[in-house]
Amino acid sequence: DVAANAWFAPAITWAYNSGIIGDGYAFRPDDNVTRMELMEMLYSYAKKLGMVNEADLAGKTLDFVDANEITDPESIKAALFCISSGIVNGYSLEKGAYIRHASTASRAEVAAMVQRFVRYAIFGGNGTMDGKYSEFINIRGNLNNVYNKLINEKELTVSYLGGSVTGGYGASSDAKTWRGLTHSWLKTNFPDANVIMNNASLGSSGSHLGAYKIQTEVIPQGTDLLFVEFIVNDAYKKTYQDGMSGFYYESIFRQIREALPECEIVCLYITNTSWLKQYGLNLAPAPAQIEEVCDYYNVSSVDCGRALASEIGTYNETVAKTYLPDGVHASDAGYKVYGDAVIEFLSEALLGETSLNYGDIKNYTIPEACLDERVAHFVPKYVPINSLDVFDSIKGYQFYDAYCATLNAKSKGYIVPSAADNEFT
């Protein structure tokens, strides 16, 4: 009773072939769906996904006034699964709690059940969104525009701006880096979308260089989602200690919001063994300066460093080295923790409760007042060095109008001194 050219035919065919619905006789596409039928479909899908352990359902009972009206064994299992997983709550009335299995499911009930089902499929355990690293994630708003571009426009450009940890130094392959793991998650969960990775990382670079790099390596690429990771390099270069990290981060945010108002930004904080040893699980005060800027511009952040610290527990040098072999760059195990923390954020922002209030694509605006008033007068200007012709007359250096492969640089043009002690100003 389903016409082959019906708009809903592909979905019904998929559900039937997957064993989620029907016996092949009739689908009754124009009929209302009961709450019980919806529970049965979700239960069948859960079994297909390997989410059901029938042994866990044995011995459980449905504590509802109208539960004795459900007599089919498979229907009872379906109801038990949905109740125990937090997918269905039932209704509390004066005479007690009712499951209302025979009632027609309203659009609101369908939406609620499916949303809880997705939460359960992703996070497990009573359908809650309390992930392993949730206390280290600060979600400010949601990834409304990213979701729209993945679902509707079906194309998303993700730029990764940071140092060597963003580049993936120390990993066995690019796929094992936090950047590779994140990219893979986006492609897996949104298979119809073309997810483009723009690796704008450069080892040893901090936020001061990042404020310039975005002019050539982030903005022209039409970035839709930008990850920023500079905290450790900022500390090494004393940018953070000099109170300038917030300054450069604010510059990055304002430049992006002005040039790419639809772009959404996420900040990442990583760690090193010195911080792990000194600060322990809290890792304070490293991100505080940047968090103030994130708060002001409504930018989400993920403290991957604290996620790793929680994985290690009380500092132990041997254990720490399994995650950070050289004290800074992660092993595959370390990158997996970083990646898992970012993926948990993405799961919540794109698939969880936070994503439920998404709407049309919006343009982010820039607050008129800068958090640091110096930023208002700071306008990074990218000048190609080959336009200056300065090295034609300077001895001891040679300029190459090319890309430096050994630096993995995205900007064209580099200079090489003829001797190690050469200096120029």
Side-chain angles (χ1 to χ4, degrees):
D1 60 347
V2 177
N5 62 349
W7 64 267
F8 47 78
I12 294 172
T13 302
W14 169 81
Y16 172 70
N17 291 337
S18 301
I20 295 169
I21 59 167
D23 55 10
Y25 177 71
F27 180 75
R28 303 188 304 279
D30 295 321
D31 284 9
N32 292 328
V33 178
T34 66
R35 286 167 56 84
M36 189 71 253
E37 287 171 332
L38 185 56
M39 285 188 278
E40 288 168 348
M41 284 188 271
L42 293 176
Y43 176 64
S44 297
Y45 193 24
K47 286 197 293 184
K48 174 180 171 59
L49 296 176
M51 292 162 48
V52 177
N53 184 350
E54 294 199 15
D56 291 342
L57 302 178
K60 290 185 177 180
T61 58
L62 293 169
D63 191 19
F64 294 92
V65 174
D66 52 350
N68 60 348
E69 297 174 11
I70 306 173
T71 56
D72 178 71
E74 283 299 300
S75 296
I76 293 173
K77 289 180 184 177
L80 285 170
F81 169 76
C82 288
I83 293 294
S84 62
S85 303
I87 296 168
V88 175
N89 295 326
Y91 288 84
S92 295
L93 303 174
E94 289 183 8
K95 296 181 180 179
Y98 289 75
I99 195 169
R100 288 185 172 176
H101 61 286
S103 299
T104 297
S106 68
R107 287 167 62 88
E109 289 172 329
V110 171
M113 288 187 204
V114 172
Q115 186 249 356
R116 292 174 192 148
F117 179 88
V118 172
R119 287 175 13 187
Y120 185 82
I122 296 170
F123 294 101
N126 294 322
T128 65
M129 299 301 286
D130 296 326
K132 186 175 182 180
Y133 303 121
S134 57
E135 63 180 301
F136 312 131
I137 297 171
N138 281 321
I139 296 182
R140 299 173 174 97
N142 61 10
L143 297 184
N144 176 83
N145 293 353
V146 170
Y147 187 90
N148 269 282
K149 291 174 187 291
L150 287 166
I151 295 298
N152 299 321
E153 298 183 11
K154 301 192 183 304
E155 184 161 301
L156 183 79
T157 297
V158 187
S159 289
Y160 298 84
L161 181 68
S164 53
V165 172
T166 292
Y169 184 87
S172 62
S173 69
D174 204 54
K176 298 288 187 180
T177 65
W178 75 262
R179 175 174 44 78
L181 293 168
T182 301
H183 187 69
S184 177
W185 184 90
L186 286 166
K187 291 175 65 177
T188 299
N189 284 274
F190 299 90
D192 296 333
N194 178 27
V195 183
I196 302 166
M197 178 197 291
N198 175 36
N199 179 8
S201 63
L202 181 62
S204 297
S205 63
S207 61
H208 63 297
L209 183 57
Y212 291 88
K213 278 166 61 74
I214 61 173
Q215 293 290 334
T216 56
E217 300 179 28
V218 174
I219 292 173
Q221 288 73 11
T223 300
D224 301 307
L225 173 61
L226 173 64
F227 288 101
V228 184
E229 172 271 306
F230 285 125
I231 184 64
V232 168
N233 283 346
D234 272 14
Y236 291 160
K237 297 176 185 301
K238 299 192 182 303
T239 310
Y240 186 87
Q241 293 90 322
D242 293 342
M244 291 300 291
S245 284
F247 174 90
Y248 288 117
Y249 268 78
E250 183 169 17
S251 171
I252 290 171
F253 293 174
R254 292 185 77 89
Q255 289 182 74
I256 290 292
R257 292 268 164 93
E258 184 173 348
L260 302 171
E262 295 179 2
C263 178
E264 290 172 316
I265 309 169
V266 181
C267 284
L268 262 65
Y269 310 127
I270 58 169
T271 189
N272 57 35
T273 50
S274 296
W275 287 353
L276 287 171
K277 189 174 183 178
Q278 184 178 359
Y279 299 121
L281 299 181
N282 189 36
L283 292 179
Q289 192 179 121
I290 300 166
E291 277 294 272
E292 184 181 3
V293 183
C294 288
D295 237 1
Y296 191 67
Y297 288 90
N298 205 35
V299 169
S300 295
S301 61
V302 183
D303 197 332
C304 297
R306 289 183 65 200
L308 185 60
S310 71
E311 203 72 32
I312 293 172
T314 303
Y315 182 78
N316 177 293
E317 185 175 354
T318 302
V319 175
K321 280 191 173 182
T322 64
Y323 293 98
L324 302 173
D326 65 0
V328 181
H329 302 102
S331 62
D332 286 355
Y335 279 123
K336 185 177 187 308
V337 176
Y338 286 170
D340 285 348
V342 177
I343 287 169
E344 187 173 311
F345 159 73
L346 290 173
S347 298
E348 166 67 6
L350 293 174
L351 301 177
E353 286 183 329
T354 307
S355 71
L356 293 182
N357 60 346
Y358 68 82
D360 295 333
I361 287 179
K362 61 186 179 184
N363 286 342
Y364 287 94
T365 56
I366 306 172
E368 184 175 347
C370 294
L371 197 60
D372 185 331
E373 62 181 16
R374 294 174 297 174
V375 176
H377 308 289
F378 173 69
V379 183
K381 185 178 181 183
Y382 182 85
V383 180
I385 200 167
N386 60 346
S387 69
L388 303 178
D389 296 328
V390 292
F391 291 97
D392 292 343
S393 58
I394 295 178
K395 295 180 180 180
Y397 293 88
Q398 185 170 356
F399 171 71
Y400 293 88
D401 189 13
Y403 293 96
C404 185
T406 56
L407 288 178
N408 190 31
K410 314 298 187 306
S411 298
K412 192 176 183 182
Y414 63 99
I415 55 175
V416 177
S418 57
D421 59 351
N422 288 1
E423 295 181 0
F424 75 92
T425 301

